[in-house]
Amino acid sequence: MDFMKRASVLREKLTEASRSYYVLDDPVMSDAEYDRLFRELQDLEAAHPELAAPDSPTQKVGAPPRDAFRQVRHTVPMLSLENAMADEEFVEWYDRAVKSAGGTAPEFVVEPKMDGTAVEVVYENGLLVSGSTRGDGEVGEEITDNLKTIRGLPLRLKGDAPERLELRGEVYFPIRDFEKMNEELAAKGEKTFMNPRNTAAGTLRQLDPKMTAARPLRIVIHGHGEAKGIKFTAHEESLKRLEAMGLPTCAKHLKRGRTAEELRAVHEDWLKRRDKLPFEVDGVVVKVDDFRLREEMGFRTRSPRWAIAWKFPPREEVTQILDMTVSVGRTGALTPVAELKPVLLGGVMVSRATLNNPGLVAKKGVKIGDWVTVRRAGDVIPEIVGAIVARRTGSERDLEMPKKCPVCATPVSWPEGEAIPRCPNTTCPAQVKGSIFHFAHALGMDGFGDKIVEQLVDKGLVKDAADLYHLDLKTLSELDRMAEKSAKNLLGELESSKDTTLEKFLGALGVRLVGESTARDLANHFGDVHPLMDATVEQLQEVPEVGERVATVIHDFFAAQGNRDLVERLLKSGLHWPKPKKTEGGKFQGMKFVFTGELVKLARREAEAKVAELGGKAASSVSKQTDYVVAGPNAGSKLDKAKTLGIKIITEDEFLALLAD
Ligand code: IVH
């Protein structure tokens, strides 16, 4: 096919795929397929610069950096909204709104108030031509190149485009992506970000659009400024038409209502779902739907009479650290805890918050006596976001980490380079309680709350997880505040916990650095607990994703006689799991594969599972024992090593052919 035609087919396919993914939430192709087509288009455009088009999906990866932002004046000012914090304030606004609408309650629409940063995006004859921040509402900064990189924001509108369309929306950072980014930064020892909102705002004001492109920002359109060549009559109608043009709007979240009760029900419903949403919502916005009526109602100084932001109880608040204490976790980690001047957060009174680790206390610069921002999301333990340095008086003190464990008084160990100090005493009551609690919950025994575990340990009834299985009805019934029925329930939970999986069992042991996904990888690789217990550090490193540090921790754990005994005693108590499927005779029997570089057609996990299914093993490093190295694009040092050792190197397609043979 002629390359011009191919480029235009690719552009159309990619634009449509991106719209299905980001606007309709209904993906039509896999990420791998998207990447492949994207690269094909990039290559075509690089080879034929005359093909370059301003609306090509390749233009979404970021223009060259610049020195400063230009100021732009908004044609129609970007106003703000009046806030209602409590029900009474909403009712006051509602009564006023009905009055200014002529006395009869009009139709209202309710949409989520996205907690992001406000922007304007301008389309001329269908093409995205400029975009800006809200600024002071009159003048903002021109950030067109950055806005162009936002996933789901079309560079060209679909269908018949109006002459000029100024759209207003909110740019936000999805919570999951935000948390993932912070985890990765923390793992690298780099500074983490405060919250998704500030990060979205900061990301939009990067001078280098490639930096913006690297972060997964999203946008939702919730209104418009000037519109030439198109006439909208009502809010919902306008959003639906914008969505048909390919724009991500909040149309799908919109609810209608007329009475204060109906509107309150929508507010309550969003509040209830707040913790489960993939983005931060800090309230709802109630708006009059009809545009003619909006005009009649008009404005106050800074805000329209026809809309209000009805806020949720804040989840971030400012309070003071009265003291800091240190708690000991199940792995012996000493964690600072801030004792706070009680504060209402998301509807709950909060008086303690974790500081994760002492390094963070130093890095965040948090001191006793500081005024700090505290945040609580859902059921998660409240955390300190940072100190308000400007409010310091000079009387604040640094936290001194104790030299001895605050629970068992054993001198703490704090090796160079480790983020936190630990209590090295594995029989420290705090560690014992923490491990038993973790074990019980990992195996689904939710009845063993921390108060019960505490009593069991303090009364000397259990010393480790295996002791749980020797408890009887009489002993359990005699615990404080324990009825016979609850005691029976606990015995029932103990009994059903015995029928488990290797993966859950490994997770329950609570080996440091072994989370859910590592436990799964270990279970898949070793098939049973004894081969794992006897594995050397090198053998452990053959497990995909297990590096030297994790391998050493696992090895040391099973080298301790106490831990080996614990496993044996648990097995004796009747814990069991399905034995690995015999894969003998599989065509990869005894063969070792290493995957390196990108896989295009299969996910890495899938490919590794296929190897295991056929009796082979997927390893993470190349050695003389490796039979095949499957190398994809951007393969690195493993490929070089395979070449040096003369190992057979195959492509992903050749690997697929082996599978199909
Ligand atoms: S409508 C006349 N709708 O909240 C102002 N704003 O406090 C019309 N916001 O600056 C704004 N979600 O950035 C509107 N669904 C939504 C919104 C929303 C978030 C932001 C917006 C505005 C601020 C006002």
Side-chain angles (χ1 to χ4, degrees), residues 598-642:
E598 296 159 32
L599 294 185
V600 179
K601 296 188 176 150
L602 282 180
R604 177 77 64 116
R605 267 236 153 77
E606 273 177 276
E608 287 166 357
K610 293 246 193 270
V611 169
E613 241 169 63
L614 294 167
K617 281 207 163 121
S620 57
S621 57
V622 179
S623 72
K624 281 200 207 105
Q625 276 76 43
T626 311
D627 294 282
Y628 284 103
V629 168
V630 184
N634 300 326
S637 62
K638 290 181 197 173
L639 181 59
D640 299 336
K641 188 158 180 204

Side-chain angles (χ1 to χ4, degrees), residues 79-81 111-114 118 134 170 222 285 287 304 306:
L79 298 181
S80 58
L81 292 172
E111 24 181 72
K113 183 169 187 315
M114 310 291 298
R134 175 175 181 277
E170 203 77 1
H222 52 58
V285 183
K287 306 172 176 176
W306 43 261

Side-chain angles (χ1 to χ4, degrees), residues 408-555:
C408 71
T410 306
V412 299
S413 89
W414 196 343
E416 269 290 313
E418 288 282 326
I420 39 170
R422 285 174 195 284
C423 164
N425 171 20
T426 49
T427 60
C428 168
Q431 289 194 48
V432 171
K433 287 173 194 169
S435 318
I436 294 175
F437 182 84
H438 171 82
F439 181 89
H441 287 257
L443 293 187
M445 298 183 268
D446 294 338
F448 286 89
D450 49 4
K451 291 279 174 298
I452 293 183
V453 173
E454 186 152 350
Q455 283 188 64
L456 290 171
V457 175
D458 289 346
K459 294 190 169 154
L461 296 167
V462 297
K463 291 197 177 55
D464 59 27
D467 287 344
L468 290 174
Y469 293 94
H470 301 303
L471 291 168
D472 55 29
L473 191 59
K474 181 160 177 295
T475 320
L476 283 170
S477 313
E478 280 168 11
L479 294 178
D480 292 345
R481 283 183 284 159
M482 174 74 71
E484 189 172 307
K485 182 151 175 289
S486 330
K488 276 195 178 137
N489 285 344
L490 289 182
L491 285 181
E493 286 190 355
L494 279 163
E495 207 43 47
S496 20
S497 75
K498 293 180 184 172
D499 187 8
T500 186
T501 62
L502 178 57
E503 174 184 331
K504 275 199 205 158
F505 179 76
L506 295 178
L509 289 178
V511 185
R512 203 155 60 82
L513 305 183
V514 175
E516 259 171 55
S517 90
T518 310
R520 187 179 325 124
D521 290 343
L522 291 169
N524 286 341
H525 190 86
F526 290 101
D528 210 342
V529 72
H530 289 113
L532 166 64
M533 286 163 76
D534 296 334
T536 61
V537 173
E538 289 71 36
Q539 285 165 338
L540 283 162
Q541 273 178 263
E542 285 179 11
V543 179
E545 316 291 322
V546 171
E548 191 180 339
R549 191 158 109 93
V550 178
T552 309
V553 171
I554 300 172
H555 180 264

Side-chain angles (χ1 to χ4, degrees), residues 327-392:
S327 83
V328 185
R330 71 178 162 86
T331 59
L334 265 55
T335 317
V337 177
E339 310 288 341
L340 305 170
K341 189 169 183 171
V343 62
L344 202 57
L345 263 192
V348 176
M349 202 50 116
V350 167
S351 56
R352 306 182 87 197
T354 60
L355 281 152
N356 294 322
N357 71 51
L360 228 58
V361 176
K363 216 184 314 173
K364 286 191 176 169
V366 183
K367 295 167 183 275
I368 299 169
D370 259 341
W371 287 87
V372 289
T373 309
V374 220
R375 177 172 50 215
R376 176 179 161 275
D379 296 334
V380 182
I381 304 168
E383 60 164 1
I384 306 284
V385 183
I388 302 166
V389 178
R391 282 183 78 163
R392 284 199 177 141

